[in-house]
Amino acid sequence: MTPNVKGALLMMGSMAAFTVNDTLVKLAGQDLPLFQLIALRGLLATVLVFGLTHRLGALHLRFNRHDRWLVVLRCLAELFGAFLFLSALIHIPLANVSAVLQALPLTVTLGAVVFFGETVGWRRKLAIAFGFLGMLLIVRPGPDGLSLYLIYALLAVLCFTARDLLTRRMSPEVPSMLVTLATSVSITIAAGIASLFQGWAPVTSDAGVLVAASAVFVLMGYLFSVMVMRVGDVGFISPFRYSSLIWALVLGWGVFGDWPDAVTLIGAAIVVGSGLFTLLRARAVHAAD
């Protein structure tokens, strides 16, 4: 098996693990308040991520103050993004939320142009524009206007865009698993505090199993995402990130009986196609340089 094939399989495995986690959270959210759910999952995930971080020898703060501030800001972006994303996830179909998140590579590319002054050719600019047109098909307003939870999903994309842009500014000395651990700890603490005001519900055995399983799949997703950066060509592997939409369609239909309408599927296809073109074009430009 070549490194690129291994990387592609790891990327698809990471996307599958994260999407299964989303499915489990959506199921558990039928019985547990949102902040309680996030706090419980975060506590279990933090313990697991801590063990993995320790095993990888990444438990250190041997990096500069600038990077530490970037880690703090990244944690805040992830915190708000997680709340918005999970709020949307619990209330609207899994595939619809996943389709909105497929715009992330496009928004990150646009953000890099706006905030970092990176150069993007007219082809990628056109692809970004088409991608946002596809997004309009996904989140099109109904008779009562745009759904509140679709707005949450869009805001989550903005938060995750900020997260990824902040990550790009970090120096290589910052261990990725330490950043993951810091993020998990901050989300757990914030959700735990918020849950005191929202109230707690009794945790049934079924809900407990769902929360525990979701924490395991989060760990698997993080582990695979770290492993994928160590094998193969990133330009070849990155497009397989879009396999998450396939998993979301299958799980959304198989578990919840949800299937997006034709217009949403067309919009998702446009967003994915635009993102793929952007990734492949960036790879071609990098190779030419």
Side-chain angles (χ1 to χ4, degrees), residues 1-286:
M1 189 180 296
T2 66
N4 279 346
V5 173
K6 289 180 182 178
L9 290 175
L10 286 169
M11 177 63 81
M12 289 189 288
S14 175
M15 294 301 100
F18 282 129
T19 309
V20 171
N21 161 71
D22 294 341
T23 305
L24 295 169
V25 168
K26 187 173 177 66
L27 286 170
Q30 298 173 358
D31 299 317
L32 299 176
L34 177 62
F35 289 122
Q36 178 185 354
L37 171 59
I38 297 175
L40 289 174
R41 188 195 68 165
L43 182 61
L44 294 172
T46 297
V47 172
L48 295 173
V49 172
F50 176 85
L52 178 60
T53 306
H54 182 268
R55 183 174 180 82
L56 293 174
L59 283 176
H60 65 80
L61 296 175
R62 295 190 295 272
F63 45 90
N64 59 47
R65 180 177 297 180
H66 178 260
D67 282 325
R68 294 180 187 180
W69 276 111
L70 289 176
V71 171
V72 171
L73 292 174
R74 186 192 184 281
C75 287
L76 290 173
E78 182 82 45
L79 171 63
F80 287 108
F83 163 72
L84 292 164
F85 170 74
L86 293 175
S87 297
L89 177 67
I90 289 174
H91 291 92
I92 60 179
L94 176 63
N96 292 58
V97 181
S98 181
V100 172
L101 288 186
Q102 303 311 310
L104 190 57
L106 299 174
T107 57
V108 170
T109 301
L110 182 60
V113 172
V114 174
F115 296 106
F116 301 153
E118 294 188 9
T119 303
V120 173
W122 67 268
R123 295 178 181 86
R124 278 186 282 173
K125 291 179 180 177
L126 188 61
I128 291 172
F130 272 109
F132 285 123
L133 287 176
M135 182 64 67
L136 290 176
L137 294 178
I138 297 171
V139 302
R140 64 194 184 283
D144 300 322
L146 191 62
S147 163
L148 172 64
Y149 295 107
L150 278 175
I151 294 175
Y152 280 8
L154 291 171
L155 292 175
V157 171
L158 293 180
C159 291
F160 292 148
T161 301
R163 173 201 66 190
D164 289 354
L165 291 175
L166 289 166
T167 304
R168 290 177 65 169
R169 305 306 288 180
M170 293 179 188
S171 61
E173 288 74 23
V174 182
S176 58
M177 285 308 301
L178 181 64
V179 175
T180 299
L181 178 61
T183 302
S184 183
V185 170
S186 62
I187 290 175
T188 303
I189 293 174
I193 295 173
S195 70
L196 298 177
F197 298 94
Q198 187 182 42
W200 281 53
V203 181
T204 64
S205 58
D206 289 344
V209 169
L210 291 173
V211 172
S214 70
V216 172
F217 276 99
V218 162
L219 177 66
M220 291 172 60
Y222 285 138
L223 178 59
F224 290 156
S225 64
V226 170
M227 293 170 65
V228 78
M229 291 296 103
R230 299 182 176 184
V231 296
D233 176 9
V234 174
F236 176 86
I237 295 167
S238 293
F240 290 92
R241 183 181 303 273
Y242 288 105
S243 62
S244 63
L245 182 57
I246 298 174
W247 288 109
L249 286 168
V250 172
L251 290 170
W253 174 73
V255 177
F256 304 104
D258 295 326
W259 188 259
D261 59 26
V263 176
T264 300
L265 288 173
I266 292 172
I270 293 173
V271 171
V272 170
S274 300
L276 284 172
F277 178 84
T278 301
L279 290 172
L280 294 174
R281 182 62 190 167
R283 180 189 180 192
V285 171
H286 180 73

